[in-house]
Amino acid sequence: LTDAGRALYPRLETVFADLVSLTRDLRAGAHPSRLTVSALPSLAELLLIPALAAYPDRHKLDFRIEPDPVDFAGSGTDLRISYGAHYYPDHHVETLFRDRFVAVASAAFVATNGSEAASFADADLIHTDWGRDHIHQPDWRKWFKASGNLRVPDPATGLRTDRTLVAVLAAVEGAGVALIPSRMAQNE
């Protein structure tokens, strides 16, 4: 594990221990023997799927990858893993972690283009658009502003995708620089 992975592992271990405990509690009651977990694609692909090997009851898990909001009653969902609580004001919500966006690129891309994000061409910026229903999402203009740079990149220039995994894979392959949640960058 990297230093970042070692820092993240205890928290994920706690989350999966809680899932194990919840699964036991559900089995002891009048609930079905399977646990239905729903997650956003980005959380599922880059955080949860890699951690599933450590979850001992994964064979009793129904795992759904779907956008917000989720109808708990209509879908039979037991647990939802999402960003924020704004879609679920009537449900109990636990904050697992707080995150921020970081710029990621392959070593080959950095060797050719340098490591200063402000100097990258607009065409090198990979844009991820999770859709209009997401309050917080990767945004190069906001990222530059937060870093003290008033640059306003052209959002119509550069690779565009609606999936964080695609942005990560494109960056890993040297196709540009992607903004991704820092927790996900720790795994890459």
Side-chain angles (χ1 to χ4, degrees):
L1 291 175
T2 64
D3 289 341
R6 280 190 288 280
L8 180 61
Y9 182 76
R11 185 67 186 212
L12 284 176
E13 187 176 40
T14 301
V15 169
F16 280 110
D18 289 347
L19 283 174
V20 168
S21 175
L22 176 62
T23 302
R24 283 191 199 112
D25 292 348
L26 288 172
R27 268 194 245 127
H31 300 282
S33 61
R34 298 189 66 81
L35 178 66
T36 301
V37 176
S38 171
L40 287 171
S42 60
L43 291 169
E45 294 163 348
L46 295 168
L47 281 179
L48 299 176
I49 297 298
L52 272 179
Y55 181 56
D57 287 335
R58 65 187 170 275
H59 61 284
K60 297 179 181 172
L61 187 65
D62 285 342
F63 198 64
R64 297 184 183 157
I65 299 171
E66 53 197 344
D68 278 319
V70 169
D71 174 15
F72 281 81
S75 68
T77 299
D78 298 306
L79 174 70
R80 172 68 174 166
I81 301 175
S82 185
Y83 289 116
H86 52 280
Y87 285 112
Y88 307 103
D90 298 328
H91 292 83
H92 175 77
V93 175
E94 292 284 335
T95 300
L96 300 176
F97 59 85
R98 299 204 183 281
D99 213 347
R100 61 188 173 80
F101 294 108
V102 296
V104 297
S106 71
F109 182 89
V110 171
T112 302
N113 298 283
S115 62
E116 189 60 41
S119 67
F120 298 145
D122 285 0
D124 292 329
L125 303 179
I126 300 170
H127 303 272
T128 308
D129 183 350
W130 292 333
R132 71 179 193 281
D133 294 333
H134 290 275
I135 292 173
H136 304 290
Q137 57 181 307
D139 182 311
W140 280 106
R141 183 189 52 77
K142 289 178 184 176
W143 186 84
F144 280 120
K145 184 177 180 181
S147 65
N149 185 319
L150 299 180
R151 177 179 174 185
V152 180
D154 180 0
T157 304
L159 177 67
R160 298 190 64 78
T161 180
D162 63 345
R163 300 296 292 263
T164 302
L165 181 59
V166 171
V168 168
L169 293 174
V172 165
E173 293 299 322
V177 186
L179 281 181
I180 66 170
S182 65
R183 299 271 182 189
M184 295 174 189
Q186 294 170 1
N187 293 337
E188 295 305 315

